[in-house]
Every structure is written in structure tokens, then in C-alpha cells.
Amino acid sequence: MFDGDAVVTTYGELGMPADAPGADRVVFGLVTAGSGFRIMAYDVLGETTRGIIGSGRMRRENNATLTDQAMFVSLSAATLDDLLPLWRALAVDGTVIEPLAASAWSAGFGMLTDRFGVTWSVTVAA
């Protein structure tokens, strides 16, 4: 559907001790298309009984996401103009956690939970 190349990396592959809880979980599950479109999913470390849909208890605090969800989907585009239509479509009947705006690391970063309960982290690729 998205076309492109897929890469999956676990927390253990990035240096977490292999016997640590969660070392086998995905820190980057990434598909990159030739057009610059990228979609990524990642496991949130912690309790493993959580699902993709949380209870809605999520907030951003000190640039960290506090949540009861086990996974987020991350979406990035080459420019803010490319990202805005995707953000707007995902936000319909959803809940904005952090508005899409310039950040210290990107020309645009935001988080929202869509109408299906899936949390998206969106960014303009650096």
C-alpha cells in the first residue's frame, strides 16, 4: 500500500541489554518511499498488556509522552505542506494531544489520537 523499503529495529539492537524487559520490542518499524513519504510504528516500553488503543489517558509533559498505549504510529513528510493534509485528515473527529507546530527538532511536530483511537506522532523530516 505505501510502497518503499521496510526496516525493523528492536530496542535490543540499539543497545538495550538483551535480557532486559522489552529488548525484543520494536523501536523503529519504518517504511520509506521514494517520494520522501515515511510511516513508522514503535512499541512504547513498559507494561506489555496494553494495546494499540488506549484509555485516552495520554498527555505530553516536558517533551515526553505519558500514556497507557503500547504503540504509536509515526508519520513524516518532507515538508510542512506535504504533512498538513495528512494531519487534517487524521484530526477529523480525533483528539489533538500536541498541536502541529514548529519544534526544536522539526519544522512541524504534532501528536493526536484519531477517531479510531490510534495515536499518531507526525513530523516534518529533518
Side-chain angles (χ1 to χ4, degrees):
M1 174 179 176
F2 293 111
D3 197 20
D5 299 310
V7 176
V8 177
T9 305
T10 66
Y11 283 92
E13 291 171 323
L14 291 182
M16 179 182 275
D19 59 347
D24 61 339
R25 298 190 76 193
V26 175
V27 68
F28 297 113
L30 173 66
V31 174
T32 304
S35 66
F37 174 83
R38 299 186 319 173
I39 188 165
M40 181 174 79
Y42 53 97
D43 292 324
V44 178
L45 288 178
E47 183 184 334
T48 59
T49 59
R50 300 174 295 178
I52 188 171
I53 307 297
S55 68
R57 294 182 308 235
M58 180 179 314
R59 67 186 188 281
R60 294 277 294 165
E61 190 174 293
N62 298 320
N63 293 321
T65 304
L66 305 175
T67 183
D68 65 346
Q69 285 185 240
M71 188 190 97
F72 297 152
V73 180
S74 176
L75 178 66
S76 65
T79 69
L80 188 57
D81 287 340
D82 293 338
L83 192 59
L84 275 171
L86 301 169
W87 171 264
R88 289 180 183 132
L90 289 168
V92 172
D93 297 326
T95 302
V96 173
I97 299 161
E98 184 160 326
L100 180 59
S103 69
W105 63 89
S106 173
F109 169 78
M111 287 186 78
L112 61 81
T113 300
D114 70 17
R115 65 183 172 268
F116 303 107
V118 176
T119 298
W120 294 80
S121 169
V122 303
T123 190
V124 173

